[in-house]
Amino acid sequence: MKRISIILAFALALGAAGAGAAWVFKGMWGVYGSGNGQFRLPEGIAVNSGGRVYVSDSTVNRIQYFTATGSYEGRWGSGGGGDGQFRQPTGVDVAPNGNVYVADRNNHRIQRFTATGSYLGKWGSLGAGNGQFRNPRGVALNAAGSRVYVADTGNNRVQYFTATGSYVGRWGGVGGPCGLDVAPDGRVYVADTDNHRVRYYSGTGSYIGQWGSRGSGNGQFFAPFDIAVAPNGYVFVADANNYRIQYFTAAGSFLGKWGSQGSASGQFNRPVAVAINAAGSRLYVADNSNYRVQYFRDTTAAVAPTSLGRVKALFK
C-alpha cells in the first residue's frame, strides 16, 4: 500500500509540473498596418464551431476573419455610428448559429452580424439604465446562444439579454470589467479588471466565488482583460500587464501559465483577449501591442496517458 501511495503521489507531482508547460506555441499572424491581415491594436477574438477566427481591430474600426491557421478570409466595418459601422470595437463572440456579436465600445452598443458580416441588428445607447451601456468592452454567449452577456465596463456591471437584445437582467460588484465568458455549465466568469481578480456567477448573476489579487505570482493578476473557458471547464485569463496567460480549474485552482514581455514567439506585449476552439485544443491570443494573433496547442492529451506508466516503470 505504501509503495502504491508513493507512486500515486509522484504521478500527481509530475502532472502538476507538466500542467504549467502543457500549452506550446503553434503559430502567429499579423503585422502593424491597415491592410488585409494586418492590425492596429487588435482588441477582441473569437472562434466559431468550424475553427474560423474573428478579430476586432479597434483603431481601424473593423472585424477581420481568418482560417484556423491565420489565412485571411474577409472583413467588414468602418468608422462611424451607422449600422455596421464601429467606434473602437472590442469584444467579439460567435453564437452556435454562426452569428457574430460585437461590443461596439464607443458607440455604447452591441451589434450582431451573419458569419460574413451582413448586418442583422443592434441594441444599446449611452446611459446607466437597463439596456444602456457606457463603453462596453466584452460580450459572450451561453452554449445555447439564448443569452448574451455584456461587460458594461464604464457602468461597472454585467448585463444580459436575449439573442436579439431584449433586456433580461444585470448585476454589479465588478470594477471596470473588460471581458467575460460563459462555461458549458452556464457559469459566467468575469475579468474584474480594476480589482485584479476573476469573479464567477450563475447564469442569472448569483455570486459563486472569486480568486486573484494584484501581483505577479501564480494566481495573481495585473489588469486581467479577458477570459476563455474551455470545454473541460478550465479558465484561461489574459493577464495583460503581466504579459502572460494563466489558466485554472473551474473553481480557481492554479494550473499553469506561459508568456513574458517581448516580441518573440510565445512572448506578449499586452495580451488583451483570448479564445479557445470547440475541441479545447487550440488557444488564440490577441497580442495587442505586437499587432498580431498568436495561437498555442495543448500537449496534455499526448502526455497524460503515458505518465502513470512512466512512473510505475521507475519503481520496478
Side-chain angles (χ1 to χ4, degrees):
M1 182 63 72
K2 184 176 180 181
R3 182 173 178 269
I4 293 173
S5 298
I6 292 172
I7 291 173
L8 289 174
F10 193 58
L12 289 171
L14 278 180
W23 290 82
V24 297
F25 174 81
K26 181 66 175 176
M28 63 183 174
W29 71 87
V31 295
Y32 182 82
S34 56
N36 294 341
Q38 298 179 325
F39 302 110
R40 293 177 62 188
L41 301 182
E43 290 274 0
I45 194 163
V47 188
N48 74 5
S49 59
R52 176 180 282 171
V53 181
Y54 293 85
V55 184
S56 65
D57 196 353
S58 65
T59 303
V60 189
N61 296 302
R62 67 183 182 184
I63 304 295
Q64 296 189 80
Y65 56 103
F66 306 84
T67 68
T69 54
S71 296
Y72 173 82
E73 290 191 321
R75 70 183 188 186
W76 73 86
S78 61
D83 295 345
Q85 295 182 313
F86 303 109
R87 289 193 176 104
Q88 291 196 336
T90 49
V92 57
D93 202 12
V94 186
N97 65 3
N99 289 344
V100 180
Y101 291 73
V102 181
D104 188 6
R105 181 185 176 193
N106 286 349
N107 278 322
H108 314 286
R109 66 186 181 185
I110 302 298
Q111 295 196 73
R112 60 188 177 97
F113 304 86
T114 67
T116 53
S118 296
Y119 174 79
L120 293 173
K122 64 184 178 184
W123 71 89
S125 60
L126 176 62
N130 294 342
Q132 294 184 312
F133 305 108
R134 189 175 299 276
N135 305 116
R137 295 192 68 128
V139 62
L141 284 88
N142 65 357
S146 58
R147 288 288 181 268
V148 183
Y149 295 85
V150 180
D152 188 6
T153 311
N155 283 322
N156 299 306
R157 66 186 182 183
V158 172
Q159 295 192 75
Y160 60 108
F161 305 84
T162 67
T164 54
S166 295
Y167 173 82
V168 179
R170 69 182 188 185
W171 69 86
V174 287
C178 287
L180 73 176
D181 200 12
V182 186
D185 65 1
R187 291 183 178 187
V188 182
Y189 289 81
V190 182
D192 189 2
T193 308
D194 290 350
N195 292 314
H196 312 286
R197 64 189 179 188
V198 171
R199 289 169 67 92
Y200 59 108
Y201 305 82
S202 72
T204 55
S206 296
Y207 173 80
I208 299 174
Q210 67 183 50
W211 70 89
S213 60
R214 180 166 179 168
S216 58
N218 294 342
Q220 294 184 309
F221 305 108
F222 186 9
F225 256 71
D226 196 23
I227 289 173
V229 183
N232 65 1
Y234 285 1
V235 180
F236 294 78
V237 182
D239 190 7
N241 289 350
N242 278 323
Y243 309 101
R244 66 186 182 183
I245 305 299
Q246 295 193 75
Y247 61 110
F248 306 85
T249 66
S253 295
F254 175 80
L255 291 172
K257 63 184 178 182
W258 71 91
S260 60
Q261 186 175 13
S263 58
S265 300
Q267 293 184 314
F268 303 109
N269 191 357
R270 295 192 73 249
V272 297
V274 285
I276 198 159
N277 67 356
S281 59
R282 184 173 286 181
L283 188 89
Y284 294 85
V285 181
D287 189 6
N288 180 271
S289 297
N290 278 325
Y291 320 109
R292 66 187 183 185
V293 170
Q294 295 193 71
Y295 60 102
F296 303 83
R297 69 179 178 89
D298 181 14
T299 62
T300 305
V303 173
T306 61
S307 296
L308 187 56
R310 292 203 326 270
V311 174
K312 285 181 177 178
L314 291 174
F315 283 86
K316 283 183 177 179

